[in-house]
Amino acid sequence: MSTRTEIAEAANAVEEITAHTYVVPDLEPGTVYPRLSRTDYPNRFGGIAHWSVVLVLPQDLAEAEQYLERMQPLLIEALAPVLPITSVEPQRLQLDGVGVLPVAFFNGHREAD
């Protein structure tokens, strides 16, 4: 099973979350997808993959903050067995054909596949 699939399946365990293995054009609040940020190769034994799990938030910024406050602990707990989260960063993401979306990046790392 791929890391992407593991992350998506873990996130799907959270009510109100619809997780995908890659970005999709339907980006409603609660949509989640993993994004490989980088892979470090600190030694010859393998790499460390740094992942961002992107959570789409509501467009209204106050609603977005409230939604993130509610979903953050649930998503962190669900992801913990496959991707321990080291930071959460609310941001605005520009996607071609979609526009600007309020999102939160749940960042973590694990051994590369």
Side-chain angles (χ1 to χ4, degrees):
M1 179 181 299
S2 76
T3 299
R4 284 182 185 279
T5 303
E6 287 181 302
I7 291 170
E9 286 181 359
N12 266 328
V14 178
E15 241 181 271
E16 297 183 41
I17 296 293
T18 303
H20 305 274
T21 52
Y22 290 92
V23 65
V24 294
D26 178 23
L27 294 172
E28 295 296 319
T31 300
V32 166
Y33 63 92
R35 188 169 114 175
L36 181 60
S37 300
R38 75 179 194 273
T39 304
D40 294 330
Y41 294 95
N43 58 50
R44 63 185 177 158
F45 299 110
I48 308 235
H50 293 261
W51 290 89
S52 293
V53 179
V54 181
L55 169 64
V56 178
L57 303 173
Q59 283 289 341
D60 178 81
L61 293 181
E63 281 183 44
E65 287 184 9
Q66 293 168 3
Y67 185 79
L68 178 57
E69 288 170 0
R70 186 165 51 85
M71 299 307 291
Q72 182 170 324
L74 301 173
L75 200 49
I76 288 172
E77 182 180 349
L79 292 169
V82 297
L83 184 69
I85 300 302
T86 56
S87 68
V88 177
E89 299 176 61
Q91 294 186 11
R92 296 184 63 77
L93 180 64
Q94 173 74 44
L95 291 175
D96 292 341
V98 175
V100 177
L101 291 171
V103 299
F105 288 93
F106 288 71
N107 303 306
H109 58 276
R110 60 181 266 170
E111 286 183 25
D113 289 338

